[in-house]
Amino acid sequence: MKPLHKAIFPVAGLGTRFLPATKSIPKEMLTVVDRPLIQYAVDEAVEAGIDTLIFVTGRSKNAIVDYFDRSPELEAELEAKGKLEALQRVRDVVPPHVKCFYVRQPQPLGLGHAVLCAAELVQDDEPFAVLLPDDLIDAFPTGTLAQMADVHRRHGQAVLALEEVPLSQVHQYGVIRPADKNAHPLQIEGIVEKPRAEEAPSNWSVVGRYILTPDVMTALKTQQPGAGGEIQLTDAIAACLHTGNFVGLPLHGKRFDCGSKRGFLAANMHFGLRETAE
Ligand code: UTP
């Protein structure tokens, strides 16, 4: 299998929890302090050695495409005015060695379907990362995806980021069944999307960071709708678990669910207080 180079960012969801703002502003462009959510996810991917970014966009998401474009007029003006620090921040949006590609998800049919829309851009012998920008993670000692990429490099396995959540919240997540609760990383034996608390195989929830092997893309091609009538990435992963090739890495750090108002506000408080500390 080839080394990990590509990351898919599914950003075609409707963002209904932030309406009416998300009528014209993509949820992924909402800002935490001074950067849009998508920038945090891109920075995390680049830190992990990703050099090809694939954005799966949809209706009303053009602001994301514009954001990652070069802006020669703005850059020239900032340079002429001597605003060099601001100029650097504009240029740092994507490092020069990183390429961006955009594909369209015609309808938001689910996360699995969004990932499948990028299939043409990922080769049959190539692993790929998936990052959900709603999950913003203040991780240590490195970004979450860099930690996962390290595990993937050493073992060649698919890696899912995990977090323990109270049983009362498992119905919001994909939840795994670990083979041995004390192993590190955890071997994944089962996975189910949005289980009821009494049916959950554990309280280890899947966070929005995945490094997946090509068999998952193949499984997505025939994946039928699951929870919520959507084509679920979790179901395609479940179909591949028999390979014994999937591990879970508990995340080190604090995760903010920026798809919810409370998580988004908490992220702004957390990063805002830190960045403006005297
Ligand atoms: P969410 O379900 O959290 O996002 O999907 P949403 O549907 O946009 O938000 P709400 O629930 O209506 O407020 C997680 C991620 O998957 C993407 C979303 O853009 C988000 O980044 N997604 C989801 C897609 O790209 N396509 C889909 O069909 C579904």
Side-chain angles (χ1 to χ4, degrees):
M1 199 162 46
K2 290 197 170 129
L4 176 69
H5 277 293
K6 295 181 181 167
I8 300 173
F9 299 85
V11 291
L14 296 176
T16 51
R17 284 169 286 174
F18 281 91
L19 281 170
T22 45
K23 242 181 111 208
S24 60
I25 304 167
K27 174 175 67 173
E28 300 78 10
M29 289 301 292
L30 296 176
T31 53
V32 170
V33 193
D34 54 3
R35 294 188 296 154
L37 269 175
I38 187 73
Q39 179 76 63
Y40 290 86
V42 163
D43 289 349
E44 186 182 326
V46 171
E47 182 196 358
I50 299 290
D51 61 18
T52 305
L53 314 177
I54 304 168
F55 299 93
V56 182
T57 73
R59 283 166 59 85
S60 321
K61 299 285 180 163
N62 292 343
I64 298 175
V65 185
D66 291 342
Y67 179 78
F68 287 107
D69 241 359
R70 291 300 296 271
S71 32
E73 297 87 358
L74 175 63
E75 289 183 30
E77 198 162 327
L78 290 172
E79 198 158 15
K81 291 193 167 145
K83 299 199 167 182
L84 300 184
E85 202 193 313
L87 176 64
Q88 199 52 46
R89 271 185 276 143
V90 170
R91 288 192 172 147
D92 283 348
V93 164
V94 194
H97 72 283
V98 174
K99 296 182 285 301
C100 297
F101 294 89
Y102 300 91
V103 289
R104 195 100 168 175
Q105 185 186 26
Q107 267 182 288
L109 298 179
L111 175 59
H113 182 259
V115 171
L116 179 61
C117 289
E120 299 291 323
L121 294 169
V122 180
Q123 281 155 17
D124 292 345
D125 55 352
E126 197 174 34
F128 56 96
V130 176
L131 293 95
L132 307 188
D134 310 26
D135 271 334
L136 176 50
I137 308 166
D138 187 11
F140 61 90
T142 62
T144 301
L145 196 72
Q147 296 177 37
M148 295 164 69
D150 192 41
V151 173
H152 171 75
R153 249 189 311 274
R154 280 188 277 130
H155 305 288
Q157 289 165 307
V159 188
L160 275 52
L162 301 176
E163 183 179 44
E164 282 192 283
V165 296
L167 267 181
S168 59
Q169 290 177 18
V170 287
H171 66 279
Q172 300 170 27
Y173 298 96
V175 177
I176 65 134
R177 185 173 70 247
D180 170 1
K181 287 186 195 135
N182 300 315
H184 185 85
L186 291 162
Q187 182 74 32
I188 299 176
E189 255 184 14
I191 188 167
V192 52
E193 184 64 29
K194 300 189 172 57
R196 299 208 318 240
E198 54 278 22
E199 288 162 0
S202 74
N203 65 338
W204 283 108
S205 73
V206 179
V207 172
R209 300 288 183 277
Y210 309 76
I211 294 176
L212 298 173
T213 39
D215 50 339
V216 177
M217 197 62 99
T218 307
L220 277 172
K221 290 179 184 161
T222 52
Q223 191 58 57
Q224 297 301 307
E230 297 192 338
I231 297 178
Q232 297 288 356
L233 182 60
T234 302
D235 294 341
I237 293 171
C240 299
L241 287 180
H242 61 90
T243 59
N245 201 26
F246 287 73
V247 295
L249 194 66
L251 66 81
H252 288 267
K254 190 161 172 49
R255 180 182 69 93
F256 298 91
D257 173 11
C258 291
S260 77
K261 288 176 197 164
R262 204 179 172 85
F264 180 71
L265 282 171
N268 264 295
M269 290 289 285
H270 176 85
F271 287 94
L273 288 174
R274 195 170 70 188
E275 287 188 25
T276 55
E278 310 243 308

